[in-house]
Amino acid sequence: MKFTLKLAERVSQLGTEEAFEVLVRARQLEAQGKEVVHLEIGEPDFPSPVNVVEAAVQALREGWTRYGPPAGYPELREAVAQNVSQEHGVAVDPSEVIVTPGAKPILFFVILALVEPGDEVFIPDPGFPIYASMVRFVGATPVPIPHREELDFGIDLDEIKKRIGRKTRLIILNSPHNPTGGVIPRAQLKELSELVVNSPACILSDEIYSQLSYDTPPSSITEFPGMKERTVILNGFSKTYAMTGWRIGYGIMPSALAKKLALLVINSSSCTASFIQRAALEALRGDQSPPRKMVAEFKKRRKVMVEGLNRIPGFHCRMPHGAFYAFPNITEIGLTSQQLAEVLLEEAGVATLAGSGFGDHGEGFIRISYANSIENIQKALKRIDSWVRSNKKTL
Ligand code: PLP
């Protein structure tokens, strides 16, 4: 009898990140001898700091090669708690910190632990595609909350006021924001906190880009009265310390939830690699000049990118306040964001991401990462500009 593999219904709900697919196509083109400028990437192009690499090597030599505590080593949880307390002016106890292999598992585990089938979860739109994917995976309904260009890519509070209700279980915030680079203004967070404090909703505040900001430092909703007990902060080392491949992140959450997350870690990965936790401790406690230099460099690139994009006919780009993404409006070009991203890759040799891959409100925009050298940014801008100028009449 022929065997037919029957998959569980829940995996049909899983979405993906377009960035990985675009990267595969770009690599195919490169294998055919085409040269591609990579502006689709969601990771710093800088090496991990030398002191952090050295700490990992030393930890391996010292034998930090065994299972560790599921919630993370006490020293690292303590260092995270201290940093977050200082940054936000709220007391954080190490028991409220959970360390995971990357920050993504915090998102997954918090949704598993808090959200029931049939619940509603507010997600940013455009937004990191994994939010909607995870919400659907647990049988809940994602409710898109627009980040609007005319609001400088802050959240649409009126939409939240309209939609918040008994079924709203979780509100996901992301500031600085992927894909727009927007930062939710402090006044908006305060107003939202006043709205949420009288509801049963919790908040997941994805602050993975919190250290990558170029204007006013971003605030966290946890700083407002009544918020800490209902908020999970998601953060990590991937973006701040250019450590995407190390896989280490953390969450700050009420300790009753932290206990359940530790169980989810035991049931999935057992723990985060011990020597990597030692390196992460060095990242937090050691020399902070490598991340500072990286931010200064991103700030220069942001200017080159945004000014260059605004010189291209049909492109209009706001100045992003954080992360390393520009999100130009391309509606005047007359193509969908998917069509434009495709021709830019295939015909101009520039890899970008369609805004539509981040939600319906991303249509009309493309995401362009400036985590690449100024030389490559200038090369990409030139290529996009000449593609647009030579195709404009025929579009
Ligand atoms: N949250 C957002 C908004 C992101 O853009 C990313 C990575 O791209 C993550 C979370 C995941 O971070 P990590 O690589 O530490 O799992």
Side-chain angles (χ1 to χ4, degrees), residues 42 102-104 128 131 174 178 206 208-209 234 238-239 247:
K104 253 184 189 169
F128 188 43
Y131 302 141
N174 176 214
N178 174 11
D206 181 343
I208 195 86
Y209 296 99
L234 170 154
S238 298
K239 318 283 177 177
R247 308 314 299 139

Side-chain angles (χ1 to χ4, degrees), residues 25-34:
R25 179 63 191 141
R27 294 273 183 248
Q28 277 171 354
L29 291 171
E30 284 170 328
Q32 292 161 14
K34 289 207 174 143

